[in-house]
Amino acid sequence: MRLSRLATLLLGSAALYACSSEDITNPEPPPNSAVRFINAVADTGAVDIRAIDQVEFSPYANSLNFRGGTEYFMTEAKSRQFRVFPTSLNIGVTSTVLLDATVDIPANGRYTLLLVGSARGGTLRFVLISDDAAPPPAGQISVRMVNTASGAVSGYLVNVVADPLPGSATFANVGSVSASPYVSRATGAAAVRVTDQGSATVNASVAGPTGPAALAGAFPAAGVSWAGTAFSVYYFPPGVAGSPQNAVSTPGAVWFVDRNPCDAPAVAGCATVNP
């Protein structure tokens, strides 16, 4: 009996050894990109967004409010299917599909899936926006503007929100649901003021985030005071009267981080940090 059991154990060990070099699953991830969601729908409440084609390598959003955004998620790059649902604790409400869309995600990039349109009008859609900002020049940050409103706007990059408008716009004639090119500027206080195209009336002003002081042994955080950071300043319309966004009565702008300081090579304070 003991010899028989020993033989069985030896045979099992041999079988494990035989398959160990041939049957191991390749751990390499599929072609992928970094993807985030931003909600620019002005006539409904918060939404949940899910990839329904697969669970792994998929971005998602929970209770994403108007003018809100998610972090970037590693996302498998291919044709992907997403659904948008109203956020609710009532299963009869939250199971309602507001949008079922297929989006082609290119590989090796950084992207925003911008949710736009009207929930009430049934015109929701995703707009894919590339966030592949080139590394800013040494000692500088990069900023661009993305317009989610229905008409063209202009943006002015100034030091503080109380500054008068310069003679010419930094981001001129940015069309509806489109992005301006990035511009570079030295680190330090920064703000963006937005007008309708051709108007001198300011619709929205917002200061850029400075970023906290770097902790010992840690990478610097994103901020207008940290070289290597790239931002998109999103301009949003007011909420639609009589909708869940009724209280959002004025246009607004929000700074979103597209690139962290240490995403760029040779940024001061990055190479010497041990992550």
Side-chain angles (χ1 to χ4, degrees):
M1 179 65 70
R2 289 182 178 178
L3 289 176
S4 175
R5 290 174 62 187
L6 179 60
T8 300
L9 289 172
L10 290 173
L11 286 172
S13 298
L16 288 173
Y17 178 80
C19 72
S20 63
S21 62
E22 298 177 1
D23 297 336
I24 297 176
T25 301
N26 187 344
E28 289 296 318
N32 64 83
S33 282
V35 175
R36 70 181 174 194
F37 294 109
I38 291 178
N39 181 4
V41 180
D43 68 350
T44 192
V47 297
D48 301 331
I49 306 175
R50 292 290 184 273
I52 65 166
D53 53 347
Q54 64 189 54
V55 175
E56 66 278 6
F57 301 110
S58 295
Y60 65 90
N62 292 323
S63 301
L64 184 61
N65 283 304
F66 176 45
R67 301 182 180 178
T70 69
E71 62 185 85
Y72 285 103
F73 295 89
M74 180 184 287
T75 302
E76 185 167 358
K78 59 179 182 179
S79 182
R80 304 298 306 273
Q81 188 175 5
F82 300 99
R83 283 183 182 169
V84 180
F85 307 89
T87 300
S88 175
L89 296 178
N90 184 333
I91 187 63
V93 174
T94 197
S95 59
T96 302
V97 178
L98 298 177
L99 174 65
D100 187 327
T102 299
V103 181
D104 291 332
I105 306 295
N108 304 317
R110 192 177 307 204
Y111 298 94
T112 292
L113 278 177
L114 178 65
L115 183 64
V116 299
S118 167
R120 294 182 167 192
T123 60
L124 294 187
R125 61 191 175 99
F126 284 117
V127 175
L128 185 72
I129 298 177
S130 173
D131 299 333
D132 279 330
Q140 298 191 7
I141 62 173
S142 292
V143 185
R144 71 173 176 183
M145 196 169 76
V146 180
N147 175 22
T148 75
S150 59
V153 298
S154 289
Y156 297 81
L157 187 56
V158 294
N159 292 326
V160 296
V161 294
D163 282 348
L165 298 182
S168 59
T170 313
F171 315 106
N173 197 21
V174 183
S176 177
V177 195
S178 62
S180 75
Y182 287 94
V183 300
S184 298
R185 83 179 253 132
T187 58
V192 167
R193 310 196 76 188
V194 186
T195 69
D196 291 335
Q197 175 61 23
S199 171
T201 301
V202 176
N203 296 334
S205 299
V206 61
T210 57
L215 299 175
F219 288 136
V224 295
S225 56
W226 288 106
T229 309
F231 295 96
S232 285
V233 180
Y234 275 70
Y235 176 71
F236 296 96
V240 173
S243 78
Q245 302 302 331
N246 183 72
V248 185
S249 59
T250 59
V254 180
W255 291 66
F256 290 95
V257 176
D258 297 343
R259 176 186 286 275
N260 289 306
C262 291
D263 289 345
V267 173
C270 293
T272 58
V273 173
N274 182 22

